[in-house]
Amino acid sequence: MRTIDASLIIDTVARMCIDSNRYLPTDVRDSFARNAAREESPAAREVFRQLTENFELAEQTGLPLCQDTGLAVFFVDVGEDLRVAGMNIREAINEGVRTGYAEGYLRKSACDPLTRTNTRDNTPAVIHFDIVPGDKLKIAFMAKGGGSENMSRVTMLAPAQGWPGIRKFVIERVAEAGPNPCPPTVVGIGIGGTFDYAPILAKKALLRKLDDANPDPKLAAMESELLEALNRLGIGPMGLGGKTTCLGVKIAMSPCHIASLPLAVNIQCHSSRHQEVEL
């Protein structure tokens, strides 16, 4: 049994919150450059220029990439041979969020759904736990902005609709979202599971790097087909038209009930802010 102190989790989470909101991942930066080079529209090229200038200024000044510094979302793999001393893991993660959002001067967006009263420290975080073999703790953090989250949807398709139905729903959802999620977006898709599990699959899929390849050839082909279809919509960067509506499509799938076909589409804005750490 391995023991780590809760203070390590608090400090790590605080730093993840700050750094993720200041520094855009390399794969996203590279995608900006790659897609800007193929754009023919002056407006699209100008948007990519501004997005590039924005992440460069954020890095130089320490200011956030966006004023919406997101709700704190975590996927945490806890080794079954790991023990945390001082407080439980959930409390430590929330304390890290409080510390990071305060020290980083990041906007606190968590509020009561009905009264809209702000919790003032961006907690409680949304935390998904999984128990895994070993004695390590893997923490993945995502700053999820409201504009893109509001454009996400979950539906229960009829099994007979299959891939054509999935494809149709995803394309229609991105088309309906239009400029609202600050494109070019990253689209996470969860297929299968249950009504509640499909959106978790979709959100977790957003943690993948833009330039990776799905290990399942069938899903890889589906991702490529959807990416091509979404970029043919012509919505373009910030909705001003162009070839780049979507930077990437990431699909996760799980077995489902024989009478169901759950489908979730979780949209992420161009500022795809996330980080993973293993302790």
Side-chain angles (χ1 to χ4, degrees):
M1 179 67 70
R2 174 172 170 253
T3 300
I4 62 172
D5 195 84
S7 61
L8 177 59
I9 298 174
I10 294 170
D11 293 343
T12 299
V13 168
R15 179 46 54 191
M16 293 174 78
C17 292
I18 294 171
D19 288 352
S20 294
N21 274 291
R22 287 180 179 172
Y23 309 116
L24 200 63
T26 301
D27 60 314
V28 182
R29 298 181 185 210
D30 292 344
S31 181
F32 285 179
R34 186 168 57 251
N35 284 286
R38 71 187 190 92
E39 285 289 358
E40 298 173 357
S41 162
R45 291 198 300 269
E46 173 60 17
V47 169
F48 273 122
R49 187 198 67 77
Q50 291 185 22
L51 295 182
T52 300
E53 181 182 29
N54 181 70
F55 77 64
E56 290 174 345
L57 286 171
E59 188 173 77
Q60 294 165 14
T61 63
L63 294 172
L65 288 153
C66 177
Q67 78 278 3
D68 185 348
T69 53
L71 205 63
V73 179
F74 294 88
F75 287 88
V76 184
D77 290 345
V78 184
E80 57 192 1
D81 296 320
L82 179 75
R83 174 180 173 274
V84 177
M87 65 176 68
N88 69 49
I89 297 175
R90 185 181 296 276
E91 290 172 348
I93 291 173
N94 276 311
E95 186 58 33
V97 172
R98 292 186 192 97
T99 302
Y101 273 75
E103 292 183 355
Y105 299 99
L106 306 175
R107 194 181 82 184
K108 290 81 175 174
S109 297
C111 71
D112 183 283
L114 299 181
T115 67
R116 314 309 293 180
T117 302
N118 199 291
T119 66
R120 296 184 177 275
D121 59 9
N122 219 43
T123 68
V126 177
I127 310 172
H128 304 282
F129 287 103
D130 196 11
I131 306 300
V132 299
D135 61 1
K136 304 293 185 183
L137 180 66
K138 182 179 178 181
I139 304 173
F141 166 72
M142 178 190 301
K144 197 66 171 68
S148 60
E149 190 75 350
N150 290 345
M151 297 299 103
S152 303
R153 296 291 186 272
V154 60
T155 188
M156 303 297 286
L157 298 179
Q161 290 178 267
W163 169 238
I166 293 169
R167 187 180 187 278
K168 181 175 183 290
F169 184 86
V170 173
I171 294 171
E172 288 180 350
R173 175 78 300 260
V174 174
E176 290 165 358
N180 293 323
C182 297
T185 58
V186 184
V187 178
I189 299 169
I191 303 172
T194 54
F195 174 82
D196 56 314
Y197 191 51
I200 296 174
L201 290 171
K203 182 157 287 178
K204 191 172 184 179
L206 292 174
L207 294 170
R208 286 173 47 200
K209 291 186 178 297
L210 286 174
D211 52 5
D212 75 355
N214 197 308
D216 184 326
K218 178 176 63 178
L219 296 184
M222 291 162 62
E223 290 174 351
S224 296
E225 182 179 337
L226 276 173
L227 180 60
E228 184 178 338
L230 295 178
N231 282 330
R232 283 200 302 265
L233 291 173
I235 295 168
M238 291 299 169
L240 298 178
K243 295 182 176 181
T244 318
T245 296
C246 182
L247 298 175
V249 174
K250 304 298 177 182
I251 298 176
M253 190 164 67
S254 179
C256 64
H257 191 281
I258 57 173
S260 298
L261 179 52
L263 172 64
V265 179
N266 195 226
I267 298 178
Q268 179 66 296
C269 67
H270 67 270
S271 191
S272 184
R273 299 160 295 176
H274 58 86
Q275 187 178 3
E276 295 186 16
V277 171
E278 185 173 90
L279 301 176

